[in-house]
Amino acid sequence: MTTEPDTIDARGLKCPLPVLKMEKRLAGLPPGASLVVLATDPMAKVDIPLFCRQKGHDCTVTTDGDVLHFAIVKG
């Protein structure tokens, strides 16, 4: 059985809001859980991977037009 990862739609929000929303959601997830964050703020491309590295989470970034997709696996 596979489950869809949680998704945070932070499009239109300026940093640090996408990071803060992600941090809050990750706190309630078990290790190994997946989370997707959608963001349009260019600073998120720096801030979210940096936060993930500092906290031991895996983070993969892809783009679709002006939308950044962050696929995160909680460490």
Side-chain angles (χ1 to χ4, degrees):
M1 179 174 134
T2 59
T3 58
E4 291 294 314
D6 273 354
T7 300
I8 296 173
D9 187 350
R11 291 177 286 189
L13 299 178
K14 298 293 181 188
C15 279
L17 289 176
V19 175
L20 295 173
K21 287 180 170 286
M22 177 191 67
E23 181 178 24
K24 184 176 181 180
R25 183 78 57 89
L26 281 170
L29 296 176
S34 296
L35 177 65
V36 172
V37 179
L38 305 174
T40 51
D41 182 4
M43 284 305 298
K45 193 170 189 175
V46 174
D47 294 342
I48 290 176
L50 176 62
F51 174 88
C52 290
R53 264 194 315 277
Q54 290 174 337
K55 301 295 182 179
H57 309 308
D58 290 329
C59 179
T60 304
V61 183
T62 58
T63 58
D64 182 13
D66 64 346
V67 179
L68 298 163
H69 294 253
F70 300 91
I72 299 157
V73 177
K74 184 173 179 179

